Amino acid sequence: MASSSSSGLTFKLHPLVIVNISDHCTRVKSQMNPPVTSAANTTSNNTNGAGDGVVTAVSAAIPPPRVYGCVIGVQRGRTVEIFNSFELLYDPIAHSLDRAFLEKKQELYKKVFPHFYILGWYSTGSDAEESDMHIHKGLMDINESPVYVLLNPSINPAQKDPPVNIYESELHVIDGIPQLIFVSSSYTIETVEAERISVDHVAHLKPSDGGSAATQLAAHLTGMHSAIKMLNNRVRVLHHYLVAMQKGEFACENSLLRQVSSLLRRLPAIESEKFQDDFLMEYNDTLLITYLAMFTNCSSTMNELVDKFNTAYDRHSRRGGRTAFM
Amino acid sequence: MDIEQKQAELIDHFVKKASALKGTILDPVIIEATSHPSLFAFSEILAVPSVVELGGTENSGYLDVLRLFAHGTWTDYKNNAGCLPELIPDQVLKLKQLTVLTLAETNKVLPYDQLMQELDVTNVRELEDFLINECMYAGIVRGKLDQLRRCFEVQFAAGRDLRPGQLGNMLQTLSNWLATSENLLVSIQEKIKWADTMSELDKKHRKDVEDRVEDVKKSLSLKKLHTVSRPTLTSEGTRRSTLSLVE
């Protein structure tokens, strides 16, 4: 049902949308779980790799609950930028989304973000379905070519791309009848500075109880490790390029060589005597403080031990002989 | 890097001009190129065939000038002043800037005395003016001037044209850099593993101690039924003392 898009629109997706959709899905799923314990097993069975794509959304046995909502954003020329999203209720009888609520929400959003228009709708699942077309057509009076954002909630550890697909509708002639079908299109993730900070924060979740010193140390070291690994990769690329250039596989590009030579001249980055002095001083200070803290710990434990000993064994001799143990 | 970008157009322009002309007409082009305030790279012009041809003829003086600008310093010019044509003041300035770049190649900290000697400047004020106006504002060098210790710390210097042998050195430096960073990666990973193992050991130890405390508590609560007068205090005392011994 999905082929590659030919409409020429470029899509830009903000991470806020993805976070919103996954949050919505998680919330609904966890709200459903306690009352529907028997169905929870079938839920987990169905969530894992519905590879055949035939998710029985119509049946009463509830598969991963599908959530629906609307996406809003800006369309400038050929670029569609999806900024935000909000949730909508799905009316299974009428097979459409709650219109009144949609309009009310749209008005509210218009007041805060005057430039945002309703660009389409979203849902969760592994593949686009026939019934989605009804909803899609329903939205076509607000926006003549709505987009359909589909998030796949099943977690596939081998997958590197985010499990989000964007579909457009196109009029294709199938069996002589012009029909609208979903056509998937590619998108890029676009972030504003503030979004990048929050996504970064979420990605580096510290253990919630503050963790022991070891986990914090491990987290910090892991960060450094990945940074140095990236540097290593880039330098290796340069190295290969220069080796190839020396062997003559590439023509000598002087401007590049000049840049590389100026880069290499910045090494060693820190070598002055002053740095060594300061560094060693700080190192010694840290060691001293650790030592001092250890001392304090030991002496306080010793003190407790002595107190307990006194309380335990000195009961008989209350002649003021307590001083013997101090 | 911005300097390269700024230069790219100029280089193209001069290369086109040089390839269009031949012979002595090239001389003014060379002079123009070597005195242009934003041009510091000359290997491309050196590579143009009509320029190379100049080497054979009696006018090879200008080719030598070009080579001097590509690889040499002000001291080189002074030493060979006899066989090279006169330089106009713009070229002199350019050559001095290039000299600073060459000096920055070898050392990161350049003492004022050495700079003054290389650039033929007598007082510090003039030297500092030259460094600030001509070098830093032109963007070819970035660094700090330390007046107390009379030196110039270079943090960044633009690249000069490469001499043929320098490519090998650069490759050596790059591979050293790679080796060092790989070693660093390995040691960081070991540290991470060490931190994890230590925390594991610590948890295990703590668990062991708590288990022993539990066992002792259980065995004591059994004994509690058999003790005579002042039962609570005695068992409490023994328990506490055993606990403290265990800790």
Side-chain angles (χ1 to χ4, degrees), chain A residues 3-80:
Chain A
S3 50
S4 57
S5 151
S6 55
S7 69
L9 288 175
T10 37
F11 290 99
K12 290 188 184 166
L13 192 60
H14 279 248
L16 178 60
V17 179
I18 306 180
V19 172
N20 274 346
I21 304 177
S22 70
D23 178 53
H24 188 191
C25 177
T26 321
R27 240 185 305 129
V28 170
K29 207 155 59 158
S30 59
Q31 277 167 0
M32 281 186 51
N33 261 340
V36 199
T37 39
S38 59
N41 290 334
T42 47
T43 313
S44 54
N45 282 338
N46 281 337
T47 323
N48 292 330
D52 53 350
V54 181
V55 178
T56 52
V58 193
S59 71
I62 305 169
R66 296 196 75 183
V67 296
Y68 299 88
C70 208
V71 295
I72 60 178
V74 179
Q75 177 160 6
R76 292 188 196 96
R78 305 301 284 165
T79 316
V80 177

Coordinates of all heavy atoms in Angstrom, one line a residue, chain A residues 3-80:
Chain A
S3 N 4.2 3.1 -1.4 CA 5.3 3.2 -2.2 C 6.1 4.5 -1.9 O 5.7 5.2 -1.0 CB 4.9 3.1 -3.7 OG 3.9 4.0 -3.9
S4 N 7.0 4.8 -2.7 CA 7.8 6.0 -2.3 C 7.1 7.3 -2.9 O 6.4 7.2 -3.9 CB 9.2 6.0 -2.9 OG 9.2 5.8 -4.3
S5 N 7.2 8.3 -2.1 CA 6.4 9.5 -2.4 C 7.0 10.3 -3.6 O 8.2 10.2 -3.9 CB 6.4 10.4 -1.2 OG 6.3 11.8 -1.6
S6 N 6.1 10.9 -4.4 CA 6.6 11.6 -5.5 C 6.1 13.1 -5.5 O 6.2 13.8 -6.5 CB 6.1 11.0 -6.8 OG 4.7 10.8 -6.7
S7 N 5.5 13.5 -4.4 CA 4.9 14.8 -4.4 C 6.0 15.9 -4.2 O 5.7 17.1 -4.5 CB 3.9 14.9 -3.3 OG 4.6 14.9 -2.0
G8 N 7.2 15.5 -3.8 CA 8.2 16.5 -3.8 C 8.2 17.4 -2.5 O 9.0 18.4 -2.4
L9 N 7.4 17.1 -1.6 CA 7.4 17.9 -0.3 C 8.4 17.3 0.6 O 8.6 16.1 0.7 CB 6.0 17.8 0.4 CG 4.8 18.5 -0.3 CD1 3.6 18.1 0.5 CD2 5.0 20.0 -0.3
T10 N 9.1 18.3 1.2 CA 10.1 17.8 2.2 C 9.5 18.0 3.6 O 8.9 19.0 3.9 CB 11.4 18.6 2.2 OG1 11.0 20.0 1.9 CG2 12.3 18.1 1.2
F11 N 9.6 16.9 4.4 CA 9.0 17.0 5.7 C 10.1 17.2 6.8 O 11.1 16.5 6.8 CB 8.3 15.7 6.0 CG 7.0 15.5 5.2 CD1 7.1 14.8 4.0 CD2 5.9 16.2 5.5 CE1 6.0 14.6 3.3 CE2 4.8 16.1 4.7 CZ 4.8 15.3 3.6
K12 N 9.7 18.0 7.8 CA 10.7 18.2 8.9 C 9.8 17.9 10.2 O 8.8 18.5 10.4 CB 11.2 19.6 8.9 CG 12.1 19.9 7.8 CD 12.8 21.3 8.0 CE 13.6 21.6 6.9 NZ 14.0 23.0 6.9
L13 N 10.4 17.0 11.0 CA 9.6 16.6 12.1 C 10.4 17.1 13.4 O 11.6 16.9 13.5 CB 9.5 15.1 12.1 CG 8.6 14.4 13.1 CD1 7.2 14.9 12.8 CD2 8.7 12.9 12.9
H14 N 9.7 17.7 14.3 CA 10.3 18.1 15.5 C 10.2 17.0 16.6 O 9.2 16.3 16.6 CB 9.7 19.4 16.1 CG 10.2 20.6 15.4 ND1 11.0 21.5 16.0 CD2 10.1 21.0 14.1 CE1 11.3 22.5 15.2 NE2 10.8 22.2 14.0
P15 N 11.2 16.8 17.4 CA 11.2 15.7 18.4 C 10.0 15.8 19.3 O 9.6 14.8 19.9 CB 12.5 15.8 19.1 CG 13.1 17.1 18.8 CD 12.5 17.5 17.5
L16 N 9.5 17.0 19.6 CA 8.4 17.2 20.5 C 7.2 16.3 20.1 O 6.5 15.7 20.9 CB 8.0 18.6 20.5 CG 6.8 19.0 21.4 CD1 7.1 18.6 22.8 CD2 6.5 20.5 21.2
V17 N 7.0 16.2 18.8 CA 5.9 15.4 18.2 C 6.0 14.0 18.6 O 5.1 13.3 19.1 CB 5.8 15.6 16.7 CG1 4.6 14.8 16.2 CG2 5.6 17.1 16.4
I18 N 7.3 13.5 18.4 CA 7.5 12.1 18.7 C 7.3 11.8 20.1 O 6.7 10.8 20.6 CB 8.9 11.7 18.2 CG1 9.1 12.0 16.8 CG2 9.2 10.2 18.4 CD1 10.5 11.7 16.2
V19 N 7.8 12.7 21.0 CA 7.7 12.5 22.4 C 6.2 12.5 22.8 O 5.8 11.7 23.6 CB 8.5 13.6 23.2 CG1 8.3 13.5 24.6 CG2 10.0 13.4 22.9
N20 N 5.5 13.5 22.2 CA 4.1 13.5 22.6 C 3.3 12.3 22.2 O 2.6 11.7 23.0 CB 3.4 14.7 21.8 CG 3.5 16.0 22.5 OD1 3.9 16.0 23.6 ND2 3.3 17.1 21.7
I21 N 3.6 11.8 21.0 CA 2.8 10.6 20.6 C 3.2 9.4 21.5 O 2.3 8.6 21.9 CB 3.2 10.2 19.1 CG1 2.9 11.4 18.2 CG2 2.4 9.0 18.7 CD1 3.2 11.1 16.8
S22 N 4.5 9.2 21.7 CA 4.9 8.0 22.5 C 4.3 8.2 24.0 O 3.9 7.2 24.6 CB 6.4 7.9 22.5 OG 7.0 8.9 23.3
D23 N 4.3 9.4 24.5 CA 3.8 9.7 25.8 C 2.3 9.3 25.8 O 1.8 8.6 26.8 CB 4.0 11.1 26.1 CG 3.4 11.5 27.5 OD1 3.7 10.8 28.5 OD2 2.6 12.4 27.6
H24 N 1.5 9.7 24.8 CA 0.1 9.4 24.8 C -0.1 7.9 24.8 O -0.9 7.4 25.5 CB -0.4 10.0 23.5 CG -1.9 10.0 23.3 ND1 -2.6 10.3 22.2 CD2 -2.9 9.6 24.2 CE1 -3.9 10.1 22.4 NE2 -4.1 9.7 23.6
C25 N 0.7 7.2 23.9 CA 0.5 5.8 23.8 C 0.8 5.1 25.1 O 0.1 4.2 25.5 CB 1.5 5.3 22.7 SG 1.5 3.6 22.4
T26 N 1.9 5.5 25.7 CA 2.3 4.9 27.0 C 1.3 5.1 28.1 O 1.0 4.1 28.8 CB 3.7 5.4 27.5 OG1 4.5 5.6 26.4 CG2 4.3 4.5 28.5
R27 N 0.8 6.3 28.1 CA -0.2 6.6 29.1 C -1.4 5.7 29.0 O -1.9 5.1 29.9 CB -0.6 8.1 29.0 CG -0.4 8.9 30.3 CD -0.9 10.3 30.2 NE -0.4 10.9 29.0 CZ -1.2 11.6 28.1 NH1 -2.5 11.6 28.3 NH2 -0.7 12.2 27.1
V28 N -1.9 5.7 27.8 CA -3.2 4.9 27.5 C -2.9 3.4 27.8 O -3.7 2.8 28.5 CB -3.6 5.1 26.1 CG1 -4.7 4.1 25.7 CG2 -4.1 6.5 25.9
K29 N -1.7 2.9 27.4 CA -1.4 1.5 27.6 C -1.4 1.2 29.1 O -1.9 0.2 29.6 CB -0.1 1.2 27.0 CG 0.0 -0.3 26.6 CD 0.9 -0.6 25.5 CE 2.3 -0.1 25.8 NZ 3.3 -0.9 24.9
S30 N -0.7 2.1 29.9 CA -0.6 1.8 31.3 C -1.9 2.0 32.1 O -2.2 1.4 33.1 CB 0.5 2.6 31.9 OG 0.2 4.0 31.8
Q31 N -2.8 2.9 31.5 CA -4.1 3.1 32.2 C -4.9 1.9 31.9 O -5.8 1.5 32.7 CB -4.8 4.3 31.6 CG -4.4 5.6 32.3 CD -4.8 6.8 31.5 OE1 -5.5 6.7 30.5 NE2 -4.5 8.0 32.0
M32 N -4.7 1.2 30.8 CA -5.6 0.1 30.5 C -5.1 -1.1 31.2 O -5.9 -2.1 31.4 CB -5.5 -0.2 29.0 CG -6.4 0.7 28.2 SD -6.3 0.2 26.5 CE -6.7 -1.5 26.7
N33 N -3.8 -1.2 31.5 CA -3.3 -2.5 32.0 C -3.9 -3.1 33.2 O -4.3 -4.2 33.2 CB -1.8 -2.4 32.1 CG -1.1 -3.0 30.9 OD1 -1.7 -3.8 30.2 ND2 0.1 -2.6 30.7
P34 N -4.1 -2.3 34.3 CA -4.6 -2.9 35.5 C -6.0 -3.5 35.3 O -6.2 -4.7 35.6 CB -4.7 -1.8 36.5 CG -3.7 -0.8 36.0 CD -3.6 -1.0 34.6
P35 N -7.0 -2.8 34.7 CA -8.3 -3.4 34.6 C -8.3 -4.6 33.6 O -9.1 -5.5 33.8 CB -9.2 -2.3 34.1 CG -8.4 -1.2 33.8 CD -7.0 -1.5 34.2
V36 N -7.5 -4.6 32.7 CA -7.5 -5.6 31.6 C -6.4 -6.6 31.8 O -5.5 -6.6 30.9 CB -7.6 -5.0 30.2 CG1 -8.1 -6.0 29.2 CG2 -8.4 -3.7 30.3
T37 N -6.3 -7.3 32.9 CA -5.1 -8.1 33.1 C -5.0 -9.3 32.1 O -3.9 -9.7 31.7 CB -5.1 -8.7 34.5 OG1 -6.4 -9.1 34.9 CG2 -4.6 -7.6 35.5
S38 N -6.1 -9.9 31.8 CA -6.1 -11.0 30.9 C -5.7 -10.6 29.5 O -5.0 -11.3 28.8 CB -7.5 -11.7 30.8 OG -8.4 -10.8 30.4
A39 N -6.2 -9.5 29.1 CA -5.8 -9.0 27.8 C -4.4 -8.5 27.7 O -3.8 -8.3 26.7 CB -6.8 -7.9 27.3
A40 N -3.8 -8.2 28.9 CA -2.5 -7.7 28.9 C -1.5 -8.7 28.3 O -0.6 -8.3 27.6 CB -2.0 -7.4 30.3
N41 N -1.8 -10.0 28.5 CA -0.9 -11.0 27.9 C -1.0 -11.0 26.4 O 0.0 -11.0 25.7 CB -1.3 -12.4 28.4 CG -0.9 -12.6 29.8 OD1 0.0 -11.9 30.3 ND2 -1.7 -13.4 30.5
T42 N -2.3 -10.9 25.9 CA -2.4 -10.8 24.4 C -1.8 -9.5 23.9 O -1.3 -9.5 22.8 CB -3.9 -10.9 24.0 OG1 -4.6 -10.0 24.9 CG2 -4.4 -12.3 24.2
T43 N -1.9 -8.5 24.7 CA -1.3 -7.2 24.3 C 0.2 -7.4 24.1 O 0.7 -7.0 23.0 CB -1.5 -6.1 25.4 OG1 -2.9 -6.1 25.8 CG2 -1.1 -4.8 24.8
S44 N 0.8 -8.0 25.1 CA 2.3 -8.2 24.9 C 2.6 -9.1 23.7 O 3.6 -8.9 23.0 CB 2.9 -8.7 26.2 OG 2.3 -9.9 26.6
N45 N 1.8 -10.1 23.5 CA 2.1 -11.0 22.4 C 1.9 -10.3 21.1 O 2.7 -10.5 20.2 CB 1.1 -12.2 22.4 CG 1.5 -13.2 23.4 OD1 2.6 -13.2 23.8 ND2 0.5 -14.0 23.9
N46 N 0.9 -9.4 21.0 CA 0.7 -8.8 19.7 C 1.7 -7.6 19.5 O 1.9 -7.3 18.3 CB -0.7 -8.2 19.7 CG -1.7 -9.3 19.4 OD1 -1.4 -10.3 18.8 ND2 -3.0 -9.0 19.8
T47 N 2.2 -7.1 20.6 CA 3.1 -6.0 20.4 C 4.4 -6.4 19.7 O 5.1 -5.7 18.9 CB 3.5 -5.3 21.7 OG1 2.4 -5.3 22.5 CG2 4.0 -3.9 21.5
N48 N 4.8 -7.6 20.0 CA 6.1 -8.1 19.5 C 6.0 -8.4 18.0 O 5.5 -9.4 17.6 CB 6.6 -9.3 20.2 CG 6.9 -9.0 21.7 OD1 7.3 -7.9 22.0 ND2 6.7 -9.9 22.6
G49 N 6.6 -7.6 17.2 CA 6.8 -7.8 15.8 C 5.5 -8.3 15.1 O 5.4 -9.4 14.7
A50 N 4.6 -7.4 14.9 CA 3.5 -7.8 14.1 C 3.9 -7.7 12.6 O 3.6 -6.8 11.9 CB 2.3 -6.8 14.4
G51 N 4.7 -8.6 12.3 CA 5.3 -8.5 10.9 C 4.4 -8.7 9.8 O 4.6 -8.2 8.7
D52 N 3.4 -9.5 10.0 CA 2.4 -9.7 8.9 C 1.6 -8.4 8.6 O 0.9 -8.3 7.6 CB 1.6 -10.9 9.2 CG 0.9 -10.8 10.5 OD1 1.3 -9.9 11.3 OD2 0.0 -11.6 10.8
G53 N 1.6 -7.5 9.6 CA 1.0 -6.3 9.3 C -0.5 -6.3 9.4 O -1.2 -5.3 9.3
V54 N -1.1 -7.4 9.7 CA -2.5 -7.5 9.9 C -2.9 -7.4 11.3 O -3.0 -8.4 12.0 CB -3.1 -8.8 9.3 CG1 -4.6 -8.8 9.4 CG2 -2.6 -8.9 7.8
V55 N -2.9 -6.2 11.8 CA -3.2 -6.0 13.2 C -4.8 -5.9 13.3 O -5.4 -5.1 12.7 CB -2.6 -4.7 13.8 CG1 -3.0 -4.5 15.2 CG2 -1.1 -4.8 13.7
T56 N -5.3 -6.8 14.1 CA -6.8 -6.8 14.2 C -7.3 -5.6 15.0 O -7.6 -5.8 16.2 CB -7.3 -8.1 14.8 OG1 -6.6 -8.3 16.0 CG2 -7.0 -9.2 13.8
A57 N -7.4 -4.5 14.4 CA -7.8 -3.3 15.2 C -9.3 -3.3 15.4 O -9.8 -2.7 16.3 CB -7.4 -2.1 14.5
V58 N -10.0 -4.1 14.6 CA -11.4 -4.1 14.7 C -11.9 -5.0 15.8 O -13.0 -4.8 16.4 CB -12.0 -4.5 13.3 CG1 -13.5 -4.2 13.3 CG2 -11.3 -3.8 12.2
S59 N -11.1 -6.1 16.0 CA -11.6 -7.1 17.0 C -11.7 -6.6 18.4 O -11.1 -5.6 18.7 CB -10.7 -8.3 16.9 OG -9.5 -8.0 17.5
A60 N -12.5 -7.3 19.2 CA -12.7 -6.8 20.6 C -11.4 -7.1 21.4 O -11.2 -6.4 22.4 CB -13.9 -7.5 21.2
A61 N -10.7 -8.2 21.2 CA -9.5 -8.5 21.9 C -8.5 -7.4 21.6 O -8.1 -7.2 20.5 CB -8.9 -9.8 21.5
I62 N -8.2 -6.6 22.7 CA -7.5 -5.3 22.5 C -6.0 -5.6 22.2 O -5.3 -6.0 23.1 CB -7.7 -4.4 23.7 CG1 -9.2 -4.2 23.9 CG2 -7.1 -3.0 23.3 CD1 -9.5 -3.6 25.2
P63 N -5.6 -5.2 21.0 CA -4.2 -5.2 20.7 C -3.5 -4.0 21.3 O -4.2 -3.3 22.0 CB -4.2 -5.2 19.2 CG -5.4 -4.5 18.9 CD -6.4 -4.8 19.9
P64 N -2.3 -3.6 21.1 CA -1.8 -2.4 21.6 C -2.8 -1.3 21.2 O -3.1 -1.1 20.1 CB -0.4 -2.2 20.9 CG -0.4 -3.2 19.9 CD -1.2 -4.3 20.3
P65 N -3.3 -0.6 22.2 CA -4.3 0.4 22.0 C -3.8 1.5 21.0 O -2.8 2.0 21.2 CB -4.7 0.9 23.3 CG -3.5 0.7 24.2 CD -2.8 -0.6 23.6
R66 N -4.6 1.7 20.0 CA -4.2 2.8 19.1 C -4.7 4.1 19.6 O -5.8 4.3 20.1 CB -4.9 2.5 17.7 CG -4.4 1.3 17.1 CD -4.8 1.3 15.6 NE -3.9 2.1 14.9 CZ -4.0 2.4 13.6 NH1 -5.0 1.8 13.0 NH2 -3.2 3.2 13.0
V67 N -3.8 5.1 19.5 CA -4.1 6.4 20.0 C -4.1 7.3 18.7 O -3.4 7.0 17.8 CB -3.1 6.9 21.0 CG1 -3.2 6.1 22.3 CG2 -1.7 6.9 20.5
Y68 N -4.9 8.3 18.8 CA -5.1 9.2 17.7 C -4.9 10.6 18.1 O -5.1 11.0 19.3 CB -6.5 9.1 17.1 CG -6.7 7.7 16.6 CD1 -7.3 6.7 17.4 CD2 -6.4 7.3 15.3 CE1 -7.5 5.4 17.0 CE2 -6.7 6.1 14.8 CZ -7.2 5.1 15.7 OH -7.4 3.8 15.3
G69 N -4.5 11.4 17.2 CA -4.3 12.8 17.5 C -4.1 13.6 16.3 O -4.0 13.1 15.2
C70 N -3.8 14.9 16.5 CA -3.7 15.8 15.4 C -2.3 16.4 15.4 O -1.7 16.6 16.5 CB -4.7 16.9 15.6 SG -5.2 17.6 14.1
V71 N -1.7 16.6 14.2 CA -0.4 17.3 14.2 C -0.5 18.7 13.6 O -1.3 18.9 12.6 CB 0.7 16.5 13.4 CG1 1.0 15.2 14.1 CG2 0.3 16.3 12.0
I72 N 0.2 19.6 14.2 CA 0.1 21.0 13.7 C 1.5 21.5 13.4 O 2.5 21.0 13.9 CB -0.6 21.9 14.7 CG1 0.2 22.0 16.0 CG2 -2.0 21.4 14.9 CD1 -0.5 22.9 17.0
G73 N 1.5 22.5 12.5 CA 2.8 23.0 12.1 C 2.7 24.1 11.1 O 1.6 24.7 10.9
V74 N 3.7 24.3 10.3 CA 3.8 25.3 9.3 C 4.1 24.7 8.0 O 5.0 23.8 7.9 CB 4.9 26.3 9.7 CG1 4.9 27.4 8.7 CG2 4.6 26.9 11.1
Q75 N 3.5 25.2 7.0 CA 3.9 24.8 5.6 C 4.4 26.0 4.8 O 3.6 26.9 4.6 CB 2.7 24.1 4.9 CG 3.0 23.7 3.5 CD 2.1 22.7 2.9 OE1 1.1 22.4 3.6 NE2 2.4 22.2 1.8
R76 N 5.6 26.0 4.5 CA 6.2 27.1 3.7 C 6.6 26.6 2.4 O 7.6 25.9 2.3 CB 7.4 27.7 4.4 CG 7.1 28.4 5.7 CD 8.3 29.1 6.2 NE 8.2 29.5 7.6 CZ 8.6 28.8 8.6 NH1 9.3 27.7 8.3 NH2 8.4 29.2 9.8
G77 N 5.9 26.9 1.3 CA 6.3 26.4 0.0 C 6.3 24.9 0.0 O 5.3 24.2 0.2
R78 N 7.5 24.3 -0.3 CA 7.5 22.8 -0.4 C 7.9 22.2 0.9 O 8.1 21.0 0.9 CB 8.5 22.4 -1.5 CG 8.3 23.1 -2.8 CD 6.9 22.8 -3.4 NE 6.8 21.4 -3.9 CZ 5.7 20.8 -4.2 NH1 4.5 21.5 -4.0 NH2 5.7 19.6 -4.7
T79 N 8.2 23.0 1.9 CA 8.6 22.4 3.2 C 7.5 22.4 4.2 O 6.9 23.4 4.4 CB 9.8 23.2 3.7 OG1 10.6 23.6 2.7 CG2 10.5 22.4 4.8
V80 N 7.3 21.2 4.7 CA 6.3 21.0 5.7 C 7.0 20.8 7.0 O 7.7 19.8 7.2 CB 5.3 19.8 5.4 CG1 4.3 19.7 6.5 CG2 4.7 20.1 4.1

